[in-house]
Amino acid sequence: MNLPIETGLQSTISTAATDITADAKKRYSAGVLKYRQMGYWQPDYVPTDTDTICLFRITPQEGVDPVEAAAAVAGESSTATWTVVWTDRLTACDSYRAKAYKVEAVPGRPGEYFAWVAYDLILFEEGSISNMTASLIGNVFSFKPLKAARLEDIRIPVAYVKTFQGPPTGLVVERERLDKFGRPLLGATTKPKLGLSGRNYGRVVYEGLKGGLDFMKDDENINSQPFMHWRDRFLYVMDAVNKASAATGEVKGSYLNITAGTMEAMYERAEFAKELGSVIVMVDLVIGWTAIQSMAVWCRKNDMLMHMHRAGHGTYTRQKNHGVSFRVIAKWLRLAGCDHLHTGTAVGKLEGDPLTVQGYYNVCRDSYTKQDLPRGLFFDQDWADLKKVMPVASGGIHAGQMHQLIDLFGDDVVLQFGGGTIGHPAGIQAGAVANRVALECMVKARNEGRDIKNEGPQILQDAAKFCTPLKQALETWKDVSFNYASTDSSDYTAQPSVA
């Protein structure tokens, strides 16, 4: 796979093979060798179907050869250390070494390089995201010869994918349990997310669900604080869910955040949610990979949906030159086992350009993800029939953007309007009605063959003539948007506007 590069940039990279592994005396003599001499640079290597392939974006320090930097990344993320160690010879070291096999300059980004590194299947523990990440993003991101490093994308072999459980329920079965088809699902985050008593919190949940939403949710930092103990919240929320379900005749839910300080406390909260009849629980990304996988196993055993709030992801994903791309985080989370995943809105208040965000959605919903450079997808990825994840669009969206959201993301998505529901001038239930009517009229127009991307505003105005809450919503938020330049767009295409 040869990616486009700018003329003249590639010619400055010396990619000749320089390893000396064939000469054991030289290779294992005490002292310090270059990583490319130790076998971590193999330009003629052809990755196998069972290799994990990583694409790193690296920024070497001044004077550091980019190929040597790539070889160092391969070495430090697999078997190498700073000096020769003879104990390598007690292992099948040729297999255990990661192999950097290609380096190319990043177009339009002087000093940055893409480095492809292949890892043998045997290097990773089966079914363990914690083990995989300990290698791929462990010490190497603090390596001094690099100014910055970012894991841009990853190809996980089918042989390794099959060792993971994946989502406990999956997108298809979720729709069957909810008995809701042919449209996006609607949700809202309870606001304010901190400070409400349990009783008032439950009132917000009831109003939102009664007005037409499918889900309400806890936010990332509502756990068990002095103003509202978790048990009180669960009781009042589930009372609201049951009353709203009875009033509307629809299956309803509310994401109960079971994030806690210990696994024991999380299991206790999950069990109580199950006893109360909840169909879904929620965890935050910050609980860590082992806890995420543990809760996914519990959810599968107990027929529970697991919603993943990606709280904290921006510390890894926000900067273009350092960290871990969210497309990689999304792949790991699908393997680890979440049913819902916050994946961005493109039109809301949080980071993400339209094409890049669509790439995240592809990772969640595809059976086989194809390489798509404009969407930031560098590799084909066979998901081996692993269940699909329901993406969640949440953060600064409102009814006036319904046409953009459906055009961008289609039906298999949860559209969450927190402030866009609870901030409605006529109240929470009216806000929910506005969003449900906006959704239904837009889906109807699309199914009739209308161009909702361009006709969307007029479609909403026509519907608002017969729906006062929608009219009020459109008047309140009008064309409010958050149009800022994305910090993480594709290197291979100009980014379109969503307006």
Side-chain angles (χ1 to χ4, degrees):
M1 180 183 67
N2 292 317
L3 301 179
I5 59 174
E6 293 185 356
T7 304
L9 288 178
Q10 190 64 20
S11 62
T12 63
I13 304 173
S14 173
T15 59
T18 54
D19 72 89
I20 56 173
T21 52
D23 187 332
K25 185 174 182 180
K26 287 184 179 179
R27 170 62 180 82
Y28 294 105
S29 295
V32 177
L33 294 174
K34 292 184 180 296
Y35 288 92
R36 64 192 295 174
Q37 293 178 305
M38 292 192 286
Y40 297 102
W41 170 247
Q42 296 190 18
D44 297 326
Y45 182 74
V46 178
T48 70
D49 289 341
T50 59
D51 283 347
T52 292
I53 306 174
C54 289
L55 177 68
F56 291 93
R57 179 192 298 262
I58 57 175
T59 309
Q61 295 278 12
E62 297 297 329
V64 175
D65 173 50
V67 168
E68 175 63 11
V73 168
E76 292 292 333
S77 60
S78 59
T79 63
T81 187
W82 64 277
T83 189
V84 173
V85 291
W86 68 267
T87 43
D88 272 346
R89 303 189 71 182
L90 301 177
T91 73
C93 54
D94 290 338
S95 296
Y96 296 163
R97 291 190 194 103
K99 302 164 183 68
Y101 62 92
K102 184 163 61 174
V103 173
E104 291 184 352
V106 177
R109 304 277 295 187
E112 295 181 8
Y113 300 86
F114 285 137
W116 284 258
V117 181
Y119 300 82
D120 193 282
L121 181 65
I122 202 170
L123 290 173
F124 307 117
E125 179 180 350
E126 61 273 14
S128 173
I129 299 294
S130 295
N131 175 253
M132 176 189 272
T133 55
S135 287
L136 302 183
I137 59 171
N139 289 341
V140 67
F141 277 55
S142 301
F143 198 50
K144 283 185 176 180
L146 299 177
K147 287 182 182 178
R150 189 177 199 239
L151 180 51
E152 199 72 35
D153 201 2
I154 185 171
R155 194 287 303 269
I156 305 147
V158 167
Y160 198 34
V161 170
K162 294 297 288 183
T163 69
F164 289 90
Q165 167 189 285
T169 305
L171 185 156
V172 173
V173 175
E174 175 178 355
R175 284 201 178 274
E176 292 173 344
R177 288 184 185 174
L178 297 176
D179 195 27
K180 296 176 182 181
F181 305 93
R183 65 167 176 86
L185 302 177
L186 283 178
T189 304
T190 302
K191 304 291 184 182
K193 55 187 177 181
L194 298 176
L196 290 172
S197 67
R199 182 181 180 88
N200 285 331
Y201 199 95
R203 289 175 64 187
V204 175
V205 170
Y206 174 77
E207 293 289 328
L209 296 178
K210 174 66 165 52
L213 303 184
D214 302 300
F215 291 114
M216 292 291 292
K217 73 174 284 289
D218 294 346
D219 220 339
E220 76 281 358
N221 56 349
I222 184 70
N223 298 138
S224 190
Q225 286 100 324
F227 51 82
M228 181 170 55
H229 189 267
W230 68 268
R231 186 180 295 269
D232 291 338
R233 182 171 80 259
F234 284 21
L235 286 167
Y236 281 112
V237 164
M238 288 311 301
D239 180 57
V241 169
N242 293 334
K243 287 178 178 177
S245 294
T248 62
E250 295 184 342
V251 179
K252 303 286 186 179
S254 189
Y255 315 159
L256 296 174
N257 191 356
I258 60 173
T259 298
T262 66
M263 283 304 302
E264 290 77 14
M266 290 179 65
Y267 284 129
E268 179 187 7
R269 297 176 192 190
E271 289 289 347
F272 191 59
K274 182 183 73 171
E275 290 175 18
L276 294 176
S278 180
V279 298
I280 188 166
V281 293
M282 167 182 153
V283 296
D284 292 336
L285 179 62
V286 293
I287 68 174
W289 296 109
T290 299
I292 291 168
Q293 289 192 254
S294 296
M295 289 314 309
V297 170
W298 182 92
C299 285
R300 174 171 283 198
K301 287 181 179 178
N302 291 279
D303 294 324
M304 189 79 76
L305 294 166
M306 190 170 97
H307 177 92
M308 168 58 63
H309 191 299
R310 58 179 184 170
H313 83 94
T315 58
Y316 301 101
T317 64
R318 187 71 190 274
Q319 300 306 315
K320 192 176 181 70
N321 68 336
H322 189 79
V324 182
S325 165
F326 188 73
R327 72 183 60 87
V328 176
I329 301 287
K331 289 180 180 182
W332 287 339
L333 285 169
R334 184 169 176 179
L335 294 175
C338 60
D339 291 305
H340 286 189
L341 174 60
H342 286 237
T343 38
T345 67
V347 300
K349 67 181 182 180
L350 303 179
E351 164 65 26
D353 74 81
L355 290 181
T356 301
V357 172
Q358 283 182 334
Y360 306 155
Y361 279 65
N362 292 353
V363 165
C364 290
R365 302 185 299 196
D366 284 346
S367 297
Y368 188 103
T369 301
K370 298 290 291 183
Q371 180 197 58
D372 188 342
L373 295 181
R375 288 174 175 79
L377 301 170
F378 287 81
F379 302 112
D380 286 1
Q381 176 64 57
D382 188 343
W383 290 105
D385 209 32
L386 200 70
K387 290 186 176 73
K388 299 176 182 180
V389 176
M390 182 74 84
V392 177
S394 180
I397 56 177
H398 55 84
Q401 298 166 318
M402 192 65 72
H403 56 296
Q404 296 172 314
L405 293 164
I406 295 178
D407 178 68
L408 281 169
F409 304 132
D411 283 347
D412 287 328
V413 58
V414 182
L415 302 177
Q416 288 188 173
F417 302 86
T421 298
I422 297 164
H424 193 283
I428 299 165
Q429 193 167 151
V433 169
N435 289 319
R436 183 66 176 264
V437 171
L439 174 69
E440 298 283 1
C441 77
M442 203 59 63
V443 169
K444 180 176 183 292
R446 182 201 61 191
N447 293 348
E448 291 171 347
R450 297 181 66 179
D451 178 5
I452 64 170
K453 183 177 181 180
N454 294 310
E455 296 181 53
Q458 188 58 52
I459 293 168
L460 290 171
Q461 290 295 336
D462 291 343
K465 295 175 183 177
F466 306 96
C467 178
T468 300
L470 178 56
K471 180 181 179 181
Q472 293 169 323
L474 296 178
E475 290 174 347
T476 299
W477 292 298
K478 297 183 177 68
D479 55 356
V480 169
S481 61
F482 299 85
N483 293 323
Y484 299 95
S486 174
T487 61
D488 185 19
S489 56
S490 172
D491 293 285
Y492 296 105
T493 183
Q495 298 306 305
S497 169
V498 297

